[in-house]
Amino acid sequence: MITTTSGHGDFRQLSELPRTIGGPLSRMEQIGGSMVADSPDEVRLRVREQLMQGASQIKLTAGGGVSSPFSPIDASTFTEAELRAAVEAAENWGTYVTVHAFTPVAIQRAIAAGVRCIEHGFLMDDATARLIAKKGVWLSLQPLPEELREGFPAGSVQRAKADEVWPGIARTYELAKKYKLKTAWGTDVLFSPALAKQQGAILASLVRWYTPAEALIMATGTNAQLLAMSGKRSPYAGKLGVVEEGALADLLLIDGDPIANIKLIADPGKNFVLIMKDGKIYKNTLPHE
């Protein structure tokens, strides 16, 4: 992802400052954590570098975040001109920009610049939700589990920011439903193998706001529509999110009816009896006759 100096995703140490535009890359940038850009021209360059390396879409951090120590939640980072430079560069390659953003200011600025998808949006207000609906912008939303918040040490800057953000999750889902926003599903689980194994349970938790069928559609067909906006930059040769001839053969066979009991997907080890990806079977515990 691409961030600004002190933006969400800037995990450098204070000892690495000051930064010189055009200077050597920091260790964070060298290992691919994120790239720092502090002007429209530099944003354009960083976006093109990501496209050169095969990026299917571009991610910028338009506002403060929880995990970054020097990135206050209320801070708006990129200027509209910087965001617009990213959008222009991405659109020249037939793809789109998505941004991490929590606050109304960060979200509205990104939309004004032509960003096609807002990640999180947990502190948005009613007016911002109406704008998202009016402009047809996507909202990539996550029902973040409490374990993720509690993973930040008590008393840390990150824990305080998590405590500020978490109450907004339910409110944002309610706004998404109220205004029928194009809503994708994700987990935002990073660096935790244990939580990654709980993604089925995280998806099942959507029944606080959606029916089991709505939740399953969101995680499959709806998510596929968002990814398809990357056009020819998509790494997938076949059609996503549908079961039809010529589409990618990514199929799960579940022992039971997840529409009647969504909790079945919370235990894939037990209940997923067949796992097929791109036509190749990776798991098959069906009885053989």
Side-chain angles (χ1 to χ4, degrees):
M1 60 186 175
I2 300 170
T3 184
T4 63
T5 293
S6 198
H8 178 52
D10 186 355
F11 292 101
R12 295 173 299 158
Q13 302 301 306
L14 292 176
S15 59
E16 296 180 82
L17 302 182
R19 171 180 182 265
T20 302
I21 292 180
L25 295 182
S26 65
R27 177 63 177 161
M28 172 192 76
E29 294 170 304
Q30 290 172 7
I31 64 174
S34 59
M35 300 299 291
V36 180
D38 289 306
S39 72
D41 285 340
E42 200 174 21
V43 168
R44 199 174 287 110
L45 170 65
R46 295 302 184 216
V47 169
R48 287 169 176 165
E49 287 173 343
Q50 297 307 308
L51 293 166
M52 184 177 180
Q53 295 176 88
S56 53
Q57 59 276 98
I58 300 297
K59 170 83 173 275
L60 273 67
T61 58
V66 171
S67 58
S68 306
F70 305 115
S71 174
I73 291 294
D74 62 305
S76 298
T77 49
F78 286 102
T79 64
E80 186 175 327
E82 289 169 332
L83 292 165
R84 195 177 298 280
V87 169
E88 182 183 29
E91 287 183 347
N92 283 345
W93 279 59
T95 187
Y96 64 98
V97 172
T98 180
V99 295
H100 162 104
F102 288 147
T103 65
V105 171
I107 296 169
Q108 291 176 27
R109 183 179 298 168
I111 292 173
V115 166
R116 304 281 298 280
C117 180
I118 303 298
E119 305 270 351
H120 318 309
F122 294 138
L123 300 179
M124 76 169 62
D125 55 16
D126 195 271
T128 305
R130 289 200 307 271
L131 177 66
I132 291 173
K134 178 183 177 182
K135 297 293 187 179
V137 170
W138 279 80
L139 179 63
S140 178
L141 203 47
Q142 306 81 26
L144 303 179
E146 274 294 294
E147 296 96 314
L148 199 59
R149 182 184 68 85
E150 293 168 354
F152 297 108
S156 67
V157 171
Q158 290 92 337
R159 179 63 174 269
K161 292 194 288 184
D163 292 343
E164 181 181 349
V165 166
W166 250 247
I169 297 172
R171 185 170 61 249
T172 305
Y173 270 110
E174 289 160 7
L175 287 170
K177 287 210 70 177
K178 178 180 178 181
Y179 292 106
K180 298 180 173 59
L181 304 184
K182 294 188 290 189
T183 306
W185 171 78
T187 64
D188 205 27
V189 170
L190 298 171
F191 316 124
S192 173
L195 276 177
K197 292 177 182 177
Q198 295 180 35
Q199 64 177 339
I202 295 171
L203 175 57
S205 74
L206 281 182
V207 293
R208 288 178 59 187
W209 306 285
Y210 299 93
T211 66
E214 287 172 333
L216 292 168
I217 290 169
M218 188 185 299
T220 52
T222 304
N223 274 6
Q225 293 173 33
L226 173 60
L227 296 176
M229 291 187 348
S230 59
K232 291 183 178 180
R233 302 289 80 75
S234 173
Y236 305 108
K239 194 172 180 181
L240 294 173
V242 295
V243 180
E244 63 180 48
E245 186 176 353
L248 286 170
D250 295 349
L251 301 170
L252 301 173
L253 185 61
I254 298 173
D255 186 11
D257 181 359
I259 292 178
N261 179 15
I262 191 70
K263 291 182 179 179
L264 288 170
I265 66 172
D267 189 355
K270 176 183 177 184
N271 299 318
F272 288 13
V273 293
L274 180 73
I275 298 174
M276 178 188 292
K277 180 170 176 57
D278 203 12
K280 181 179 179 181
I281 295 174
Y282 287 83
K283 176 184 178 181
N284 183 5
T285 59
L286 291 168
H288 298 283
E289 295 183 1

